[in-house]
Amino acid sequence: MTKTAPLPADLLIDPADEILIRQDLVLVALGKREADRLVQLGRVLDVHTGTWMDDCEVAIRGRRIAYVGPAGSFPGTARETIDRTHLAAVPGFGEVHKHIESSHLTPEHEAALVMPRGNTWTCEASHEFSNVNGPNNLEFWLTARRAGSPMKIFPLPGSAVPPTAYEGGGGHFGYAEQIGFLGESTMVAGLDEVMDWPAVWNPENPSYGRLWGMIQATFEKRGVVEGHGAGLRDLPSINAFAAAGLSSDHEAWTPEEAWDKLRHGIFIEVRPHSMPDIIKGLLERGLRDWSQVAFATDDRSASDTLKMGATDHNVRLAIESGLSPEIAYQCVSINPARHMRLTPFVGSIAPGRFADMVLLDKAATVSIAEVWADGEQVSEGKRFTGHLPAIDWPDWATKTVNVGRKLTAADFAVAAEPGRATMQAALLRPFHWDDNFITTELPVADGAVQRDSDRNITKFAVVDRYSGKGRVAKMFWLGCGPKTPDTAVGCTVAHDQHNIWVVGSSDAAMAEVVNRISQNQGGWALVTSGKVVADVHYEVGGLMTNRPAEALDAEMEALYAEANKIDWLYEPTFSPRWFPGFPERLQFATLTCAPWRWVLVAPTDAVPEGFVNVQTGESHKVVW
């Protein structure tokens, strides 16, 4: 037996180290070099064939698998033998498309939350933090892994940086930046979801050159270009989407849409809210080959993950929706790994891959006993037992809210023309996807246009938190925010540019919300009767907290408790995605991608009032 040699750290996939690692694994597999441990398992799911192997053993060297075979077949020795013959093993779950920022936890705390629930690797759709700090984007996503976190994060730099040509903030990505990211680290898997469809198809769109430059760079480096096809359901659009090289879509809502996109070569990433219908519909249509399907969490808060689960929830829901367990596990392992071209490293329990395994009491119900990652056990039940590095995030990650001054009620007033008793006003409502905005007549008092709570009309604003100029875009919105007098709520999670949004029944309360959020360097604030009654801290990037999920959840529960004392506006006819009560979903109502048209963004020189149609570039006054 040859002498055991020290291995590279093997935290990030370094091409030079990779050769040394694989040369070592060859000798271990042949029994010529000792394995670190031999794990004996009752059953192992071979996701390549969709079949189970009984009475198996897995030999591990360092963080990788060296050998898989029937019990007693390994030709070498191991320093340690571990008996798990009472458990079944499936590969570590992979997230094909996820915004870790939406858990509102930094990556090391995200790992501690989701790894006991089966997740061992994630393709991070990074346009959230990219828009906060583009230059340090890759460093942010690799820091936790470098510090020893067992979670593998494969970053996909954001195409939506900025989301449209009418926005700007902490990052700007084009050809040069994408070439740099792909050349800097093998962990970079490709390009995050291309969402600005008008900028893809229309050569006259001001973002056309920037987006196609990123696509070109990704093609040159053999990366994967992820798509976002919301609202693109007609066949010409589906064909154009696929022709552009946009390889996937996680926005399919119906079985018909998923089927049509599958038939045109688009990889479908099914999210839980549409999963029962889509799986049932694809089964009814006789889908035989599920290799072009994966499950995507996309956005899920830490509080929701604590309640419902992570990728384990997605697998469980798929099985309950009629999919066989074997195919369901393929949809969170080998399928996303193949799509992302990561199969040498993750996606299966096979030689050369990271030794990531989910050990199950019952495969059919996704009952997880243990999770292994990097060749070691990292959880017991729901308790994380792996390495949780203590990271002191630098100022570029924690000093990201720069309003530049203290705001006052006057910053949120909408001035009326002199001598007018009423003014015409443009109205939006959450998830307003119509071609035209709504108009109405509003009263004027003390030289300013007023809200009308009797008609569910309140005031919404977006505050620039990047330039330090304290710029505020404000207008009137329908059916959201507080009806309780002198009350406002706001947050720095405002997809996808992540300026500060605030909605309120008084201008003074709105100013107080923004000032508290600025002081906290991000998060939520709820103000009523001149007092901050609750706030939540997202001190990293204004998106995440460097604390355990349970601590964040407790803070959110305190916010919900205070919010339950407020009377919130609600219009049930607006959108099936909108629900009454605390308007938490307003953090998604600032999206500017397809299928949005008229939106409110932070003011720029080109759009000084911030009210713009992102499909056409047309701007409009908010009152006239």
Side-chain angles (χ1 to χ4, degrees):
M1 184 173 291
T2 61
K3 183 178 179 181
T4 299
L7 290 173
D10 196 23
L11 290 164
L12 304 179
I13 299 169
D14 181 85
D17 289 345
E18 192 67 20
I19 299 304
L20 297 175
I21 291 165
R22 291 184 181 274
Q23 288 171 340
D24 181 74
L25 292 173
V26 167
L27 296 175
V28 176
L30 292 172
K32 298 179 182 299
R33 185 168 286 176
E34 189 174 42
D36 291 320
R37 52 185 58 89
L38 189 67
V39 184
Q40 299 170 330
L41 297 158
R43 302 178 82 202
V44 171
L45 179 62
D46 171 27
V47 290
H48 303 99
T49 63
T51 60
W52 291 92
M53 302 181 292
D54 294 327
D55 298 321
C56 287
E57 56 190 17
V58 176
I60 297 170
R61 169 83 164 127
R63 292 181 168 85
R64 304 288 185 98
I65 295 171
Y67 183 94
V68 179
S73 67
F74 178 53
T77 61
R79 297 175 190 170
E80 181 183 16
T81 298
I82 298 169
D83 184 355
R84 294 294 187 271
T85 53
H86 60 294
L87 298 174
V90 297
F93 301 158
E95 287 279 11
V96 69
H97 174 80
K98 186 177 184 181
H99 305 280
I100 289 175
E101 301 96 321
S102 290
S103 75
H104 309 303
L105 302 173
T106 49
E108 69 276 24
H109 289 289
E110 159 83 1
L113 172 64
V114 302
M115 293 193 82
R117 294 160 174 85
N119 276 103
T120 62
W121 59 279
T122 295
C123 288
E124 159 59 32
S126 72
H127 66 244
E128 316 302 348
F129 190 81
S130 297
N131 274 302
V132 172
N133 188 315
N136 292 106
N137 177 56
L138 191 54
E139 182 177 354
F140 180 79
W141 293 114
L142 299 183
T143 292
R145 182 66 174 161
R146 283 195 183 107
S149 172
M151 170 74 79
K152 293 93 183 154
I153 296 176
F154 298 97
L156 282 79
S159 68
V161 185
T164 65
Y166 317 106
E167 301 164 85
H172 189 279
F173 291 171
Y175 174 87
E177 289 78 11
Q178 181 68 352
I179 279 286
F181 289 133
L182 288 160
E184 184 176 342
S185 175
T186 310
M187 301 293 285
V188 178
L191 179 61
D192 177 23
E193 54 181 317
V194 177
M195 302 195 299
D196 191 357
W197 179 240
V200 173
W201 73 262
N202 185 1
E204 297 181 0
N205 188 289
S207 287
Y208 184 83
R210 182 189 70 80
L211 267 182
W212 278 103
M214 294 196 80
I215 294 170
Q216 177 184 340
T218 309
F219 283 165
E220 287 180 10
K221 293 293 187 179
R222 297 284 294 151
V224 179
V225 179
E226 288 284 274
H228 172 115
L232 305 181
R233 299 186 179 97
D234 61 286
L235 284 181
S237 293
I238 291 173
N239 276 272
F241 184 91
L246 311 185
S247 67
S248 68
D249 185 28
H250 56 274
E251 290 287 342
W253 280 70
T254 67
E256 293 79 12
E257 181 182 358
W259 183 254
D260 285 344
K261 288 179 176 176
L262 280 171
R263 281 188 154 181
H264 288 81
I266 297 169
F267 187 85
I268 295 299
E269 300 165 354
V270 184
R271 296 182 298 186
H273 61 77
S274 54
M275 184 180 289
D277 287 343
I278 287 179
I279 286 179
K280 179 182 177 183
L282 294 181
L283 288 170
E284 288 174 348
R285 285 164 174 78
L287 181 64
R288 297 178 182 177
D289 181 359
W290 288 77
S291 64
Q292 283 289 98
V293 178
F295 305 148
T297 297
D298 201 358
D299 299 282
R300 187 176 298 160
S301 70
S303 294
D304 283 345
T305 300
L306 287 169
K307 294 180 181 72
M308 63 197 298
T311 304
D312 60 320
H313 168 73
N314 303 347
V315 177
R316 200 173 292 114
L317 181 59
I319 295 170
E320 292 170 356
S321 301
L323 203 59
S324 73
E326 292 77 15
I327 294 176
Y329 287 119
Q330 287 175 319
C331 288
V332 295
S333 58
I334 193 65
N335 291 5
R338 282 175 179 155
H339 173 66
M340 289 295 185
R341 303 173 188 170
L342 296 172
T343 51
F345 312 108
V346 294
S348 62
I349 299 174
R353 282 70 171 178
F354 284 99
D356 294 359
M357 303 181 293
V358 179
L359 305 189
L360 303 160
D361 294 310
K362 296 180 181 178
T365 58
V366 200
S367 175
I368 299 174
E370 302 174 6
V371 175
W372 285 57
D374 289 350
E376 296 182 350
Q377 184 178 341
V378 297
S379 76
E380 185 174 350
K382 295 291 177 62
R383 185 172 65 90
F384 180 69
T385 60
H387 179 56
L388 178 59
I391 299 174
D392 184 14
W393 290 98
D395 285 354
W396 55 256
T398 59
K399 306 293 183 184
T400 65
V401 179
N402 180 24
V403 174
R405 61 185 177 86
K406 188 173 182 179
L407 299 188
T408 67
D411 290 303
F412 296 91
V414 177
E417 292 176 2
R420 294 279 295 270
T422 64
M423 293 279 289
Q424 289 294 114
L427 295 182
L428 289 181
R429 56 189 178 188
F431 309 105
H432 182 81
W433 298 326
D434 297 349
D435 288 335
N436 297 309
F437 54 82
I438 306 162
T439 61
T440 194
E441 189 174 57
L442 289 176
V444 171
D446 301 322
V449 185
Q450 302 297 307
R451 301 165 177 82
D452 189 342
S453 61
D454 289 340
R455 290 192 289 155
N456 278 357
I457 298 174
T458 188
K459 193 178 287 182
F460 187 90
V462 177
V463 180
D464 171 14
R465 62 118 152 177
Y466 297 109
S467 70
K469 297 179 180 179
R471 296 181 296 194
V472 180
K474 61 264 186 178
M475 66 179 295
F476 297 94
W477 276 35
L478 275 167
C480 64
K483 188 171 184 178
T484 301
D486 198 26
T487 300
V489 67
C491 187
T492 40
V493 178
H495 293 274
D496 285 307
Q497 192 61 58
H498 300 295
N499 284 295
I500 301 172
W501 65 263
V502 58
V503 62
S505 57
S506 83
D507 295 345
M510 293 173 76
E512 187 61 32
V513 162
V514 175
N515 292 335
R516 173 55 69 95
I517 289 173
S518 298
Q519 176 185 328
N520 290 346
Q521 280 297 307
W524 290 89
L526 175 63
V527 167
T528 190
S529 301
K531 179 182 178 183
V532 178
V533 294
D535 57 4
V536 177
H537 294 70
Y538 296 158
E539 73 280 0
V540 178
L543 304 171
M544 296 161 277
T545 186
N546 187 19
R547 293 176 291 157
E550 292 78 8
L552 174 58
D553 181 56
E555 209 167 62
M556 287 300 300
E557 287 300 323
L559 173 65
Y560 296 145
E562 291 298 328
N564 284 338
K565 303 173 185 177
I566 304 299
D567 185 12
W568 299 100
L569 299 174
Y570 169 57
E571 284 291 337
T573 60
F574 282 170
S575 168
R577 295 181 67 188
W578 188 253
F579 300 96
F582 178 60
E584 188 169 2
R585 288 192 63 83
L586 283 178
Q587 60 192 324
F588 294 98
T590 51
L591 281 163
T592 54
C593 58
W596 266 260
R597 272 80 166 171
W598 285 97
V599 298
L600 187 68
V601 301
T604 64
D605 293 341
V607 189
E609 289 192 78
F611 188 44
V612 62
N613 185 323
V614 290
Q615 298 271 343
T616 66
E618 179 187 0
S619 60
H620 200 282
K621 289 184 173 295
V622 297
V623 294
W624 62 97

